[in-house]
Amino acid sequence: MVGINSEQDGNYWRIGAMTTWQDLLETELPGCFDGLKAAARQVGGRQIQNCATIAGNLCNASPAADGVPPLLTLNARVVLQTQTRKRELPLSKFILGNRRTALEAGELLTDILIPKKLGQGRAGFLKLGAREYLVISVVMVAGLLFLDEHGKVRHAHISVGACSETAVSLSELEAELLGRRFSPNLVRSDHFQHLSAIDDHRGTAVYRLDAALTLTRRLLSELTA
Ligand SMILES: Cc1cc2nc3c(=O)[nH]c(=O)nc-3n(C[C@H](O)[C@H](O)[C@H](O)COP(=O)(O)OP(=O)(O)OC[C@H]3O[C@@H](n4cnc5c(N)ncnc54)[C@H](O)[C@@H]3O)c2cc1C
């Protein structure tokens, strides 16, 4: 259950439930994992990264879980098992709300599956917190882009965390980017209207949404530079 295996199953990379953030960082993986790796470097400090698991980050179901946005952009699926039963769910259907998951009594999350066809996409992750290091996210954005030979967007997966109970994909923006060369003004505030950010001690809803817009523009600019 430790490590990332690409051989067992031809169509997926399989992240075992006991795989830590540090295990992920030490594994050679294609470009589509760069966003998840960037998140791994920012989960807590080194002590946390050495012992905390990616699966635990999902099962914890915190709105500020740094692993969720990049795994959503990777179309991750989770494998849930009891002693007698096994099922699979898309990550988007696994995390149901703040600290709520689809785990049933007796179930463990045993694997996270990432489709191999995503391979060489360009991926990234940006996190805003109250300070640089060892900090819970106020907002985070993950992106995975595929560009054609002219630099136009072929596919885009963009997900925002800490601005709703669960991380949310920016589906309208993803659709509008298709066939275009990226420019920051293509990202508008109405692309974030379906988020339900809250006011709390880390930031107001207005600040969060404004920061999400800025981080999304910045991340996509970096990925298309
Ligand atoms: C000091 C500190 C800083 C932190 N900073 C961050 C941060 O910056 N970003 C961030 O996202 N998180 C952060 N966290 C939260 C946490 O460390 C991470 O979410 C981590 O990845 C959780 O993994 P874990 O293996 O420790 O899970 P645990 O904390 O052990 O488990 C979390 C929950 O999920 C359940 N669970 C775990 N694994 C499974 C499984 N395979 N199947 C079913 N249920 C399971 C557990 O029973 C528990 O209810 C921080 C925590 C601490 C203490």
Side-chain angles (χ1 to χ4, degrees):
M1 290 177 85
V2 181
I4 301 173
N5 188 333
S6 62
E7 282 154 24
Q8 252 176 12
D9 182 332
N11 298 320
Y12 293 98
W13 284 282
R14 188 173 286 270
I15 303 177
M18 295 302 292
T19 307
T20 64
W21 295 108
Q22 187 58 29
D23 293 329
L24 170 78
L25 288 171
E26 288 171 5
T27 306
E28 206 171 306
L29 290 163
C32 68
F33 282 92
D34 288 353
L36 188 61
K37 285 192 168 185
R41 288 186 200 96
Q42 296 178 68
V43 172
R46 284 302 290 268
Q47 294 92 334
I48 296 289
Q49 291 159 21
N50 282 337
C51 62
T53 62
I54 305 168
N57 193 252
L58 302 185
C59 294
N60 210 23
S62 160
D66 288 323
V68 179
L71 283 166
L72 279 178
T73 65
L74 287 167
N75 285 341
R77 299 179 67 79
V78 293
V79 180
L80 309 175
Q81 263 182 271
T82 65
Q83 283 186 333
T84 55
R85 192 164 45 83
K86 183 173 178 175
R87 64 184 177 126
E88 251 181 63
L89 281 181
L91 176 58
S92 55
K93 296 224 157 60
F94 175 67
I95 300 181
L96 303 177
N98 185 3
R99 311 281 175 184
R100 285 189 298 121
T101 69
L103 271 175
E104 291 174 1
E107 269 184 337
L108 282 176
L109 191 164
T110 55
D111 297 282
I112 302 164
L113 305 177
I114 312 291
K116 277 196 192 159
K117 62 180 181 198
L118 296 177
Q120 297 303 331
R122 300 179 183 197
F125 170 87
L126 292 178
K127 166 172 171 173
L128 174 72
R131 56 180 180 271
E132 189 69 26
Y133 179 69
L134 202 65
V135 67
I136 301 296
S137 294
V138 176
V139 177
M140 69 284 212
V141 177
L144 172 63
L145 293 186
F146 294 83
L147 304 180
D148 69 14
E149 64 276 23
H150 307 294
K152 292 182 179 167
V153 176
R154 263 196 307 120
H155 291 290
H157 300 271
I158 305 155
S159 178
V160 175
C163 281
S164 295
E165 272 198 72
T166 64
V168 171
S169 295
L170 301 183
S171 321
E172 277 189 28
L173 174 61
E174 290 170 355
E176 284 179 29
L177 291 178
L178 295 187
R180 297 194 182 185
R181 204 167 274 119
F182 178 72
S183 140
N185 60 14
L186 292 173
V187 185
R188 302 183 308 269
S189 55
D190 57 282
H191 291 129
F192 299 80
Q193 266 172 1
H194 59 303
L195 305 184
S196 44
I198 56 161
D199 296 333
D200 70 6
H201 61 286
R202 294 197 185 94
T204 62
V206 171
Y207 174 70
R208 283 194 153 93
L209 292 176
D210 192 47
L213 175 79
T214 302
L215 286 192
T216 303
R217 285 179 171 162
R218 193 176 297 162
L219 176 65
L220 298 182
S221 298
E222 285 175 16
L223 293 179
T224 52

